[in-house]
Amino acid sequence: MRGIIKYRKKEMVVITIILLFAILTTRYIYYKFKDMSHVDYNTAALDITFHEESGGEVNLLKVTPVTDSVGLSSKAYKFSIKNNTNSSIQYSINIKNNKELTLKDGCSEYQIPTNIIRFSIHKENEKNKIYTLSDLIDGKVLTRIIKAKKIEEYTMRFWIVNNNTLPTGAKLHYHGIINVVDEGVEIAIGS
């Protein structure tokens, strides 16, 4: 009888150690990958957090024409903007060509024309807005005002329009950057 009780105690200790090890390992792995997928940028008043490992880099690496409805299910670039001040702030979201990566890859002659690149921007609780990249003026997608201490979540998606003359799978690609700019304008708005 004593042998059985002693055996059960040893068994419980071993099971407890294994469970503790599994919990700690799982926690470590989760937080390691969670931290890797967030890229943060700060301005004087705003915190911008990209929820992808690539940060704000947009890369279309092959020509695959799709309809807008299919494009709206393409790879998502998610980010959040947080106002750290006690007043409303104006900001803009822009898309710029990633000239640094284009030069590094030596691919300036292989760029997808911007008139066939479509993208959507979606703010939580609002409808998707779809644009063509070439229609932007100085790369500006939108200008908004964020209230004091608020957080706004965005999702952007990029795709190639379906009715273009480029062959599917062409060697062309696009390198861009999603850029959030603190316009530096504090705005007095009734809360």
Side-chain angles (χ1 to χ4, degrees):
M1 187 72 166
R2 279 190 155 199
I4 294 175
I5 293 173
K6 197 174 189 180
Y7 177 75
R8 294 279 184 209
K9 283 184 181 180
K10 282 184 181 179
E11 198 174 66
M12 291 302 289
V13 169
V14 170
I15 290 172
T16 304
I17 289 172
I18 290 172
L19 284 174
L20 184 62
F21 178 75
I23 290 169
L24 291 174
T25 303
T26 303
R27 182 182 167 130
Y28 172 77
I29 291 169
Y30 172 76
Y31 283 108
K32 179 177 176 150
F33 284 106
K34 182 180 175 200
D35 291 341
M36 268 180 39
S37 67
H38 287 59
V39 179
D40 299 320
Y41 302 94
N42 300 345
T43 67
L46 300 175
D47 286 342
I48 297 93
T49 303
F50 286 95
H51 304 288
E52 314 302 326
E53 189 175 342
S54 62
E57 290 185 4
V58 175
N59 295 302
L60 297 174
L61 300 177
K62 59 184 174 181
V63 176
T64 308
V66 296
T67 62
D68 287 350
S69 59
V70 173
L72 289 171
S73 64
S74 63
K75 178 183 178 185
Y77 297 87
K78 297 180 179 185
F79 58 99
S80 56
I81 303 169
K82 178 182 178 188
N83 183 349
N84 293 319
T85 68
N86 292 323
S87 56
S88 296
I89 300 289
Q90 184 171 319
Y91 66 91
S92 65
I93 298 174
N94 306 293
I95 301 172
K96 296 182 174 183
N97 289 330
N98 189 341
K99 294 176 185 173
E100 186 177 305
L101 186 57
T102 302
L103 288 174
K104 180 181 166 193
D105 285 354
C107 58
S108 57
E109 68 274 7
Y110 298 114
Q111 292 295 299
I112 297 171
T114 57
N115 65 327
I116 64 168
I117 299 174
R118 302 267 290 170
F119 70 94
S120 72
I121 185 162
H122 176 259
K123 182 179 176 232
E124 61 183 341
N125 302 322
E126 292 184 9
K127 289 186 175 186
N128 282 309
K129 294 181 181 168
I130 299 174
Y131 302 97
T132 301
L133 200 55
S134 62
D135 292 341
L136 300 179
I137 298 172
D138 296 326
K140 190 171 283 196
V141 177
L142 59 82
T143 300
R144 288 264 174 99
I145 296 169
I146 185 169
K147 292 185 178 181
K149 304 293 182 186
K150 295 291 182 188
I151 298 174
E152 295 182 353
E153 303 281 338
Y154 286 94
T155 302
M156 293 183 78
R157 298 175 190 273
F158 295 79
W159 65 93
I160 307 299
V161 296
N162 202 21
N163 56 351
N164 71 70
T165 57
L166 294 176
T168 299
K171 237 179 149 179
L172 303 177
H173 52 270
Y174 172 75
H175 299 299
I177 299 173
I178 300 169
N179 185 6
V180 179
V181 177
D182 175 354
E183 300 287 335
V185 179
E186 292 190 18
I187 301 169
I189 295 179
S191 298

